[in-house]
Amino acid sequence: MTVLNGRARAWAGFAGAALLLFAVAPLALSDFRLDLLAKYLCTAMVAVGICLAWGRGGLLTLGQGVFFGLGGYAMAMHLKIADAGPGNLPDFMALYGTATELPWWWQPFANPVFALAATVLLPMAVAAILGLFIFRRRVKGAYFAILSQALTAAFAIWLIGQQATTGGTNGLTDIQGFFGYDLDDPLNQRTVYFIIAACLLALIAIARQLIHSRYGELLVAVRDSEERVRFLGYNPANVKLVAYVVAAGMAGLAGALFVPAVGIISPAMIGIVPSIEFVIGAAVGGRASLVGAVLGAVGVAWAKTALSEEFPAGWTYFQGLLFIVALAFLPGGLASLAGIVRRRRKAVQQTPALPVGEAA
Amino acid sequence: MTVILGQTFTGISIGAVLLLIALGLSLTFGQMNVINMAHGEFIMAGAYTTYVLQKSISGAGISLLVALPVAFLVSGALGALLEWLLIRRLYLRPLDTLLVTWGVSLMLQQLARDIFGAPNVQTRAPDWLTGNITVIGGDDPLTFANSRLFILALAIAAVVALSLTLRLTPLGRRIRAVVQNRDLAEVSGISTSRVDRTAFFIGSGLAGVAGVALTLVGPIGPTMGTNIIIDAFLVIVVGGIGQLKGSVIVAFVLGALQSVLEYSTTVSVAKVLVLVAIVAFLQWRPQGLYTLRTRSLV
């Protein structure tokens, strides 16, 4: 009964979200606002992965920027090559004049199929290798968080250092086309938005399926008591690895779609600060709840735009405060508010008011 | 040859700065399982304290020496305040302390930006620290900068002071007791919350001292803490949490490794290589170089 209820509720929620994303938003928002929404939805995709890895699996990954960046750069490299046309170098390489031909590791990205596959598979492969090293040796908790953060720092620094082949601090800018379609055309921009919205819904569906499977229960069990799961005969390292790799793939896809939506990818979007910002959204909304994480990510990204337009300095204070309040005083995020209120109301109804002094 | 020696020395002085930072972090991490991301901003507070003191006291030679204790107190007070306001509520939730203190660090950075402005500022090193000491003369000289020697001395002094405090004083005994077994310490009559706050004060104060040292090698700015704190965390992870010995060894090794690799490759490649080395090391010793032996299964 409850299962059916849950499933029916999920379908209703899905239909509602689809209606909002595909009908209401495009009609109600201007092209400019819809572009911004597309950007926020990319953040939400990362948050879906974070909900899985951190909310469910307890893996606080402060390195989602790396996977976001791998996906983004894979996509941007292909689009840059395509923009340049056959036989030409991407504009920034020609500008610096250091490279006379495409570097070997750029060449495969000329192939659209390879590039598209790489946006998801490359982050997943990197996560798999890293995760294997980290989880097999039972590096966990804070150690894992710090390592993932160090990884982000190293990746961003490496990208900045390779000016001639990665565009350095500027990143890959000024992307014109998306698989033959001109990105300046508002109609094509709108199509990009629809692709992003559809991908987000698909990722939510995948994550929900995973969470409600046996695997999802195992993941929560590993989070809550890794040793007991080990005693039961499972290998917690593999359980964590799957969540980490899936989250990485989701971040990679988000990064890849972020590129046509925004037209640029640079180290500033994938360093330590953005990586933590991905986590904030999920934390504020509710790390363990898919809906909470997604809405939190969109809400925080929106608040950032709205507030930093008005008060650039104020946003940083607000962001800090958001972090402190959400994590110190509301660890379940906004998603847990409803439950807290409901429980409190129930408690009030059930326990007859005791005269003062006789409580407990 | 002298180039390698000189590079190693630079690395060791980088290691000394890392060590100063890691000492404080290690104390709070080992003691309370708190990952304090705002530690970087306590470093910044120490650096700005030096800057302010230099503005108000004429004579850079004296102001630097005055700055050391004052920065210790300023950063220590900030740390104790943070512990009292937030961290004691998050006890037993180490991952959340990481994110909450990150929020604090964002606010402190913005505060610094509002007070001192976004651009970096600089202090003037006192005259007695500006020169070099020539170790090997001749055509291919090997020289050590005085300021870097001073930082090295400062780090050594801090290690000695901290380890003597931990070993010999009643406070040190209480801190060690809490680190080893918090519950047993509590039932033995130790006020663990007071010990926590004191440890946090000392740890944060050491960050302030590190901030003073950093003014000798680089500019002072709102984001100066963020960049170096991750390296300091790596030192603790590799050295073993709460282990002074481990932090000391690893800080110098990582500093020297980074510096030598930077010389033979580039800064960015060196960073990546150091990280690879760390992950490889953790395959061998997942709990770090030195570990506190417990019977815990977690």
Side-chain angles (χ1 to χ4, degrees):
Chain A
M1 181 63 193
T2 46
V3 174
L4 201 73
N5 250 344
R7 191 163 292 170
R9 276 229 315 266
W11 274 113
F14 230 75
L19 195 69
L20 260 178
L21 285 177
F22 287 98
V24 178
L27 287 176
L29 297 177
S30 65
D31 282 343
F32 173 68
R33 291 283 156 195
L34 200 67
D35 262 11
L36 282 179
L37 182 60
K39 209 169 107 182
Y40 305 157
L41 294 185
C42 288
T43 321
M45 284 188 197
V46 183
V48 173
I50 290 176
C51 172
L52 197 68
W54 181 40
R56 293 277 153 175
L59 303 167
L60 175 55
T61 155
L62 300 176
Q64 290 310 87
V66 173
F67 307 124
F68 188 84
L70 284 171
Y73 271 87
M75 177 64 94
M77 278 156 73
H78 172 71
L79 298 183
K80 284 309 276 185
I81 295 171
D83 276 352
N88 292 329
L89 281 179
D91 50 6
F92 74 93
M93 283 188 196
L95 189 71
Y96 297 130
T98 40
T100 46
E101 61 171 12
L102 220 49
W104 60 267
W105 55 275
W106 269 70
Q107 279 168 9
F109 290 93
N111 182 332
V113 179
F114 176 87
L116 272 183
T119 59
V120 180
L121 296 182
L122 194 64
M124 287 176 98
V126 171
I129 294 168
L130 265 167
L132 218 57
F133 276 112
I134 292 176
F135 300 135
R136 211 176 40 112
R137 294 303 296 174
R138 303 187 194 176
V139 174
K140 57 190 162 193
Y143 290 78
F144 172 73
I146 291 165
L147 267 185
S148 68
Q149 190 163 43
L151 175 73
T152 317
F155 183 60
I157 291 169
W158 180 80
L159 276 175
I160 292 170
Q162 311 303 308
Q163 176 91 0
T165 47
T166 63
T169 322
N170 298 333
L172 301 177
T173 55
D174 199 21
I175 285 156
Q176 309 281 344
F178 186 56
F179 295 99
Y181 293 95
D182 182 9
L183 282 174
D184 276 341
D185 187 343
L187 191 70
N188 291 340
Q189 270 299 345
R190 210 156 255 249
T191 315
V192 169
Y193 163 80
F194 283 122
I195 294 173
I196 290 173
C199 284
L200 175 63
L201 286 179
L203 291 192
I204 293 175
I206 292 171
R208 187 178 185 280
Q209 212 54 39
L210 269 176
I211 286 172
H212 288 265
S213 67
R214 264 172 67 84
Y215 167 76
E217 291 180 2
L218 210 50
L219 187 63
V220 173
V222 169
R223 177 190 71 189
D224 291 343
S225 181
E226 189 169 333
E227 281 308 319
R228 290 188 192 180
V229 174
R230 186 171 288 121
F231 292 156
L232 289 173
Y234 295 99
N235 185 353
N238 294 342
V239 177
K240 291 200 247 183
L241 190 64
V242 171
Y244 186 50
V245 168
V246 171
M250 289 180 171
L253 183 63
L257 291 171
F258 182 82
V259 169
V262 179
I264 171 176
I265 183 96
S266 80
M269 294 157 192
I270 62 186
I272 292 173
V273 175
S275 291
I276 291 196
E277 281 178 355
F278 287 136
V279 173
I280 306 192
V284 170
R287 64 183 87 160
S289 143
L290 269 178
V291 179
V294 167
L295 291 182
V298 174
V300 169
W302 169 79
K304 180 178 182 175
T305 316
L307 282 171
S308 52
E309 272 169 11
E310 295 277 325
F311 339 85
W315 160 247
T316 319
Y317 287 122
F318 181 74
Q319 192 186 21
L321 209 60
L322 206 59
F323 239 100
I324 295 167
V325 172
L327 284 146
F329 303 106
L330 199 65
L334 293 175
S336 68
L337 262 186
I340 292 172
V341 170
R342 208 179 304 141
R343 241 170 290 143
R344 192 155 290 174
R345 197 174 292 160
K346 216 180 233 170
V348 169
Q349 280 167 359
Q350 280 171 356
T351 48
L354 289 171
V356 184
E358 282 178 36
Chain B
M1 187 56 205
T2 51
V3 173
I4 297 286
L5 280 178
Q7 208 65 23
T8 311
F9 174 71
T10 311
I12 286 174
S13 72
I14 295 172
V17 174
L18 276 181
L19 182 58
L20 274 173
I21 300 166
L23 276 183
L25 274 179
S26 172
L27 197 63
T28 52
F29 200 176
Q31 160 119 6
M32 300 157 69
N33 226 350
V34 163
I35 305 157
N36 181 16
M37 292 301 284
H39 200 77
E41 279 57 47
F42 296 162
I43 297 167
M44 175 191 81
Y48 275 116
T49 304
T50 320
Y51 172 71
V52 169
L53 282 174
Q54 195 169 77
K55 287 257 160 191
S56 45
I57 303 176
S58 53
I62 308 157
S63 74
L64 187 78
L65 292 180
V66 176
L68 284 172
V70 175
F72 183 86
L73 291 177
V74 168
S75 299
L78 277 175
L81 187 69
L82 176 70
E83 199 275 341
W84 179 69
L85 278 175
L86 283 173
I87 287 173
R88 67 194 172 113
R89 294 166 214 275
L90 292 167
Y91 175 52
L92 292 182
R93 279 161 57 196
L95 286 183
D96 287 356
T97 60
L98 193 162
L99 294 170
V100 168
T101 50
W102 171 266
V104 173
S105 93
L106 279 179
M107 297 174 81
L108 288 177
Q109 275 179 33
Q110 189 57 40
L111 196 66
R113 225 171 268 137
D114 287 347
I115 297 175
F116 298 100
N120 289 342
V121 295
Q122 201 113 31
T123 57
R124 205 159 37 80
D127 295 336
W128 46 277
L129 282 182
T130 42
N132 292 306
I133 288 180
T134 310
V135 182
I136 304 173
D139 300 334
D140 192 14
L142 175 66
T143 58
F144 291 169
N146 282 345
S147 57
R148 291 188 180 268
L149 283 172
F150 177 74
I151 293 174
L152 191 59
L154 201 60
I156 292 170
V159 172
V160 170
L162 185 62
S163 71
L164 286 183
T165 309
L166 286 178
R167 250 167 231 279
L168 301 178
T169 64
L171 171 69
R173 272 199 296 280
R174 284 198 289 270
I175 290 178
R176 278 184 298 145
V178 174
V179 170
Q180 283 173 18
N181 192 329
R182 176 174 288 270
D183 295 336
L184 198 55
E186 180 82 56
V187 295
S188 311
I190 294 174
S191 163
T192 51
S193 59
R194 189 178 303 163
V195 172
D196 282 347
R197 195 154 320 139
T198 318
F200 220 85
F201 177 81
I202 298 174
S204 308
L206 285 172
V209 174
V212 179
L214 275 175
T215 61
L216 293 172
V217 287
I220 305 161
T223 55
M224 65 184 291
T226 324
N227 300 324
I228 198 155
I229 193 161
I230 294 167
D231 289 340
F233 268 123
L234 287 178
V235 167
I236 298 176
V237 167
V238 176
I241 286 178
Q243 300 292 308
L244 223 55
K245 242 185 317 185
S247 302
V248 173
I249 296 172
V250 172
F252 287 123
V253 170
L254 277 191
L257 189 67
Q258 170 87 26
S259 172
V260 169
L261 281 175
E262 261 174 37
Y263 177 73
S264 41
T265 58
T266 63
V267 177
S268 58
V269 174
K271 267 263 183 289
V272 178
L273 287 178
V274 167
L275 191 69
V276 170
I278 287 172
V279 173
F281 176 83
L282 289 177
Q283 296 301 301
W284 175 51
R285 272 182 175 268
Q287 306 296 322
L289 196 57
Y290 292 101
T291 44
L292 193 66
R293 284 186 191 199
T294 64
R295 287 163 184 270
S296 137
L297 278 172
V298 190

